[in-house]
């Protein structure tokens, strides 16, 4: 547990820093790339049954989603809308964690399914 808790912020921080998250670049390309990376990290966390990757990426995603709202519309409420949208997504995933994980693991080939925790 502690190894995951310590290494997840290092992995996520390195990935998002490498991609330039939080540097004020809210172009269409950066939006797509960072959201795809977040989805990939979330899928990896679900496959490995480790929520530390998702929790570590929350701060980056809140800042990034807030920048999107500020850039493309809701000027004064960007931070609140960013926090709210990420919180709703996290709460939904938390409630449905096990059913989502079971469905995702069923789609894996048998060999790959044997490599991830049960």
């Amino acid at each position: 547990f502690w190894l995951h808790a310590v290494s997840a912020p290092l992995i996520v921080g390195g990935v998002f820093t490498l991609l330039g998250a939080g540097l004020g670049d809210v172009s269409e390309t950066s939006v797509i790339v960072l959201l795809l990376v977040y989805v990939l990290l979330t899928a990896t966390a679900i496959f490995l049954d480790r929520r530390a990757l998702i929790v570590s990426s929350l701060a980056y995603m809140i800042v990034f989603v807030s920048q999107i709202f500020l850039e493309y519309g809701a000027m004064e409420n960007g931070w609140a809308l960013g926090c709210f949208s990420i919180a709703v997504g996290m709460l939904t995933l938390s409630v449905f964690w096990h059913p989502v994980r079971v469905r995702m693991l069923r789609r894996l080939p048998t060999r790959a399914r044997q490599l991830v925790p049960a």
Side-chain angles (χ1 to χ4, degrees):
F1 170 79
W2 291 110
L3 182 61
H4 291 281
V6 171
S7 65
L10 297 173
I11 293 168
V12 170
V15 168
F16 279 111
T17 302
L18 181 67
L19 294 173
L23 297 178
D25 180 27
V26 191
S27 66
E28 289 81 14
T29 306
S30 67
V31 168
I32 292 169
V33 168
L34 289 174
L35 289 177
L36 285 175
V37 167
Y38 184 68
V39 168
L40 180 67
L41 284 171
T42 301
T44 303
I46 292 171
F47 282 128
L48 298 178
D49 200 17
R50 296 289 180 246
R51 293 169 181 90
L53 283 172
I54 298 172
V55 172
S56 297
S57 61
L58 281 179
Y60 290 99
M61 288 311 296
I62 288 173
V63 169
F64 185 66
V65 170
S66 299
Q67 286 178 349
I68 291 171
F69 283 130
L70 289 173
E71 184 77 20
Y72 295 108
M75 291 259 190
E76 62 278 347
N77 297 327
W79 182 254
L81 287 173
C83 289
F84 179 74
S85 61
I86 296 297
V88 167
M90 282 300 300
L91 183 61
T92 303
L93 183 60
S94 296
V95 169
F96 297 107
W97 181 269
H98 292 290
V100 167
R101 187 166 189 272
V102 167
R103 285 189 191 124
M104 287 179 71
L105 288 178
R106 278 191 206 142
R107 295 178 185 214
L108 283 178
T110 306
R111 176 70 179 132
R113 203 175 315 142
Q114 293 171 349
L115 297 174
V116 295

